[in-house]
Amino acid sequence: MQRWKAVIYNMVFALNCLLIFLVIFEARLVVPAWIQVVGRMHPLVVHFPIVLLSLSVFWELFAGRKTREGHHTSIGDGLLLLTCLTAVLSALMGLLLSKEDGYTPDILIWHKWGGVLIAVLSFAWYVFRVQVREMKIVTAVTAIACLIIVIVTGHQGANITHGEDFIYAPVLADRQPQQVLFDDAEVYANMVQPVFQLKCAGCHNEKKAKGELIMATVALLQQGGKSGPLWDSAENDGGLLLRRIHLPLQSKKHMPPAGKPQLTDEEATIISKWIRSGANFSAKVSELPPTDSLRIIAAAMFSTIETDDYSFVPADDNKINNLHNNYRTVTPLATGSPALGVEFFSAAQFNASQLKELLAVKEQIVALNLNKIPVTDDDLKIIGQFINLRKLNLSFTNIKGAGLQMLKPLKELKQLSLSGTGVSAASLATLATLPNLTRLFIWSTPAQTENLAAIKKQLKNTSIETGFTGDTIKIKLNEPLVQNEEDVLLEPMPLKLKHFIKNVSIRYTTDESEPDSIKSPEYKAGVMIDRSMTVKAKAFKPGWYSSDIVERSFFKAGYKIDSIQLLKA
């Protein structure tokens, strides 16, 4: 046994000397391919020194002192020596692994030096073990110091492998995904990016960029890695990313690699559909066509105001019935849901007392529609008491903005419409205190024409809708309509052309030529069709692109049938 201890001791001494030498001359270190295999064993070996050092600390502080001195020395020495061996081997392998592409030296520095320190300190502990054991305070300090260094170094390694704050992420509030409603959800931010963060960021982050690919930001994602861009909509298979995730699991290039959490079928579909639809980083789920696959998946992923989970108790049915009248509806948002939606009608019949009456069910009101109702800033004091309000429509009311501070208690408010009101940018600053506000409508307001950049900076987690301003955008006209019901002419009949956009000029031809805005006659009521012809029409308007051509053929009846007789069955 003593012989083996001597062999291992000499080996550990030599390996520590080699480790220190390589660290000093690391800048000149070149690792050949066959040595990289040894370096890649670091994640496997690194667990041994952690366990053995923990056992050594426990033995030296507690268990070893209750045994016979000789037995204590034998077991303690063996644990410390094995700790030294595995620690220096792990540190050497880690140093070799760090020379591969994809690791940023500045990011690795604390993990690297922590590993070196553990190897050297554990070896020093073994060399001076006899002297250390003679003083309890030195034993305790040495053991605790080694344990702290192991914990810190291991945490840094977890961050490199799995991403920043991997250990504490589940309990950090700012790391939790923000719960958004279906109407507020964005395809990339709320469907695609969470998949990248969960299944890809562990190997493609700023600390560990495998294949020189970093997926931390949109810009870096679009940049791609050393193999090129991640997607190409011109390719049949969608490009590199889709190609890799659909490779067989046994393939070396399959992503995520074998041994890592794999994409579910739904996650793979989300990424595939997003890329094939153009990889839009700003598209909202609600803007997708009803039959779009991403929208169908999102419908199951995100709740709406109607289907959200509510913990408050439902209101009494008698109270709801008493509040319901010809000028105000108070109804459940969904069958079996305690959430109520309130909508007002008839601006002439409105008064503030009708809002006060709703305080009887203030905890259950989730949606409140006061569109075009003469609500004032003073009335917002009442609305601010509806503590579970998620959706508030104050469009085209008499709100000026001074009373918006009364909405501070509405911590659950997600959507707020102030379009067509007198609110200013300064008055919107108070909305920054609403933690769940994700969507704000301010079109046709003074705030819309003010410094939008300042507003968006204050409301950084809120999507601000300012409406469409297309003064410099030319839009194509839709085709004119041919409203004639009959195609066969028994007698002359008027040609009926129509367009629903005002001041549109409709030009037409009957000689098979394409209508233009100069030579072709302009359609006027009273144009008659008295022969077989093909009518081609096109819409024109200054500032717009002309429409496509609409074509309709008419046929004049040659003979008028008097009767039909069956001659033979």
Side-chain angles (χ1 to χ4, degrees):
M1 181 63 69
Q2 293 299 324
R3 180 181 177 184
W4 278 108
K5 283 186 177 180
V7 171
I8 295 174
Y9 173 84
N10 291 327
M11 184 186 302
V12 172
F13 177 77
L15 290 174
N16 271 281
C17 292
L18 175 63
L19 175 64
I20 294 172
F21 175 81
L22 293 179
V23 169
I24 294 174
F25 297 99
E26 182 184 3
R28 300 183 181 180
L29 179 61
V30 178
V31 181
W34 67 274
I35 293 293
Q36 287 181 2
V37 176
V38 178
R40 293 191 177 192
M41 295 176 66
H42 172 73
L44 174 65
V45 176
V46 73
H47 300 92
F48 288 97
I50 295 174
V51 173
L52 290 171
L53 183 58
S54 300
L55 289 174
S56 295
V57 169
F58 176 79
W59 186 266
E60 295 293 334
L61 293 180
F62 305 107
R65 298 188 178 278
K66 298 180 181 179
T67 63
R68 296 189 307 274
E69 185 63 28
H71 190 50
H72 166 268
T73 301
S74 177
I75 295 177
D77 290 356
L79 283 174
L80 274 177
L81 190 57
L82 288 176
T83 299
C84 296
L85 178 61
T86 55
V88 70
L89 286 173
S90 176
L92 282 168
M93 292 176 180
L95 183 63
L96 297 175
L97 180 62
S98 69
K99 302 306 293 182
E100 290 194 21
D101 294 336
Y103 293 97
T104 305
D106 294 340
I107 302 297
L108 292 173
I109 186 168
W110 291 109
H111 183 63
K112 178 183 70 176
W113 283 108
V116 172
L117 186 58
I118 290 170
V120 174
L121 185 59
S122 62
F123 182 65
W125 189 1
Y126 179 78
V127 172
F128 298 103
R129 63 191 181 284
V130 176
Q131 294 85 346
V132 170
R133 287 169 183 162
E134 291 177 352
M135 296 176 283
K136 292 182 179 180
I137 185 66
V138 176
T139 300
V141 169
T142 304
I144 293 173
C146 287
L147 203 57
I148 291 174
I149 295 172
V150 165
I151 293 173
V152 173
T153 305
H155 176 62
Q156 294 296 326
N159 286 347
I160 294 170
T161 303
H162 302 287
E164 188 69 25
D165 289 329
F166 169 73
I167 295 176
Y168 303 114
V171 297
L172 293 178
D174 60 347
R175 298 282 175 168
Q176 298 300 313
Q178 186 181 15
Q179 298 297 319
V180 298
L181 296 178
F182 179 88
D183 290 340
D184 301 323
E186 295 183 4
V187 176
Y188 173 73
N190 303 115
M191 297 182 71
V192 178
Q193 189 179 33
V195 178
F196 287 160
Q197 289 293 329
L198 184 63
K199 300 295 176 70
C200 308
C203 293
H204 302 289
N205 55 70
E206 292 174 333
K207 293 186 176 183
K208 182 183 179 183
K210 287 291 186 180
E212 300 178 12
L213 172 63
I214 301 176
M215 304 177 79
T217 66
V218 171
L220 292 172
L221 192 63
Q222 292 176 313
Q223 180 178 316
K226 70 177 182 180
S227 297
L230 291 183
W231 56 80
D232 185 352
S233 57
E235 294 188 23
N236 292 333
D237 59 5
L240 180 65
L241 179 59
L242 293 184
R243 198 178 304 132
R244 292 287 179 88
I245 68 177
H246 288 111
L247 285 173
L249 182 60
Q250 297 77 15
S251 174
K252 187 172 73 172
K253 293 185 177 182
H254 172 83
M255 291 294 159
K260 296 284 187 179
Q262 297 297 306
L263 296 176
T264 65
D265 291 342
E266 183 176 86
E267 290 170 339
T269 300
I270 289 173
I271 294 175
S272 177
K273 296 296 182 182
W274 175 68
I275 289 176
R276 293 184 185 281
S277 63
N280 190 320
F281 286 90
S282 59
K284 287 185 173 295
V285 170
S286 58
E287 296 172 350
L288 300 175
T291 57
D292 190 279
S293 299
L294 284 174
R295 182 175 179 131
I296 294 172
I297 294 173
M301 291 177 60
F302 304 106
S303 60
T304 63
I305 288 179
E306 292 78 10
T307 61
D308 207 355
D309 293 329
Y310 299 104
S311 58
F312 49 80
V313 297
D316 184 80
D317 289 340
N318 291 329
K319 287 184 179 180
I320 297 175
N321 293 333
N322 291 335
L323 293 170
H324 192 85
N325 55 45
N326 292 333
Y327 308 110
R328 178 184 60 204
T329 61
V330 182
T331 55
L333 290 180
T335 303
S337 173
L340 299 177
V342 180
E343 189 165 358
F344 280 80
F345 305 94
S346 182
Q349 301 296 327
F350 174 79
N351 60 69
S353 64
Q354 294 175 348
L355 277 175
K356 291 182 180 178
E357 292 171 355
L358 294 174
L359 293 176
V361 291
K362 64 180 182 180
E363 292 184 2
Q364 289 78 23
I365 295 177
V366 168
L368 179 59
N369 186 358
L370 291 162
N371 183 44
K372 297 183 180 179
I373 301 298
V375 176
T376 65
D377 287 87
D378 293 336
D379 297 324
L380 296 183
K381 185 175 182 180
I382 302 173
I383 297 174
Q385 299 180 56
F386 304 148
I387 56 175
N388 288 313
L389 198 62
R390 263 71 163 176
K391 187 175 182 179
L392 176 59
N393 189 346
L394 296 171
S395 298
F396 301 97
T397 59
N398 296 333
I399 301 295
K400 302 300 180 184
L404 289 179
Q405 58 182 342
M406 301 295 182
L407 301 181
K408 287 183 179 181
L410 304 181
K411 302 303 182 182
E412 300 295 332
L413 190 64
K414 297 180 181 293
Q415 296 181 21
L416 174 60
S417 179
L418 297 169
S419 301
T421 65
V423 296
S424 62
S427 64
L428 295 177
T430 189
L431 299 179
T433 61
L434 302 178
N436 291 310
L437 186 64
T438 56
R439 206 168 185 186
L440 175 65
F441 299 85
I442 59 169
W443 47 272
S444 298
T445 66
Q448 181 185 8
T449 60
E450 296 171 359
N451 189 354
L452 279 179
I455 302 175
K456 291 179 179 179
K457 187 176 181 180
Q458 291 174 318
L459 305 175
K460 58 182 179 180
N461 295 323
T462 304
S463 173
I464 300 177
E465 307 285 348
T466 58
F468 176 72
T469 54
D471 297 339
T472 60
I473 299 175
K474 293 182 71 174
I475 302 176
K476 187 175 183 177
L477 291 166
N478 54 315
E479 300 172 356
L481 299 176
V482 182
Q483 295 184 308
N484 293 79
E485 296 182 359
E486 303 292 338
D487 293 330
V488 178
L489 307 177
L490 299 178
E491 58 185 20
M493 65 178 180
L495 176 63
K496 298 178 182 179
L497 300 179
K498 185 176 181 179
H499 203 283
F500 289 101
I501 296 178
K502 293 182 179 180
N503 303 320
V504 166
S505 171
I506 301 177
R507 302 277 180 162
Y508 72 97
T509 61
T510 59
D511 59 358
E512 300 290 343
S513 64
E514 293 189 2
D516 59 42
S517 59
I518 300 175
K519 298 180 181 180
S520 302
E522 184 176 5
Y523 170 76
K524 301 291 184 183
V527 176
M528 301 298 292
I529 307 173
D530 56 2
R531 56 185 175 84
S532 296
M533 65 176 67
T534 297
V535 176
K536 294 183 178 182
K538 195 173 184 179
F540 299 89
K541 185 178 180 180
W544 296 63
Y545 291 113
S546 59
S547 73
D548 293 330
I549 297 173
V550 63
E551 183 175 326
R552 181 81 169 271
S553 295
F554 297 94
F555 305 94
K556 185 177 180 180
Y559 298 94
K560 187 174 182 179
I561 298 174
D562 177 73
S563 62
I564 299 176
Q565 183 179 1
L566 181 61
L567 298 179
K568 186 176 182 181

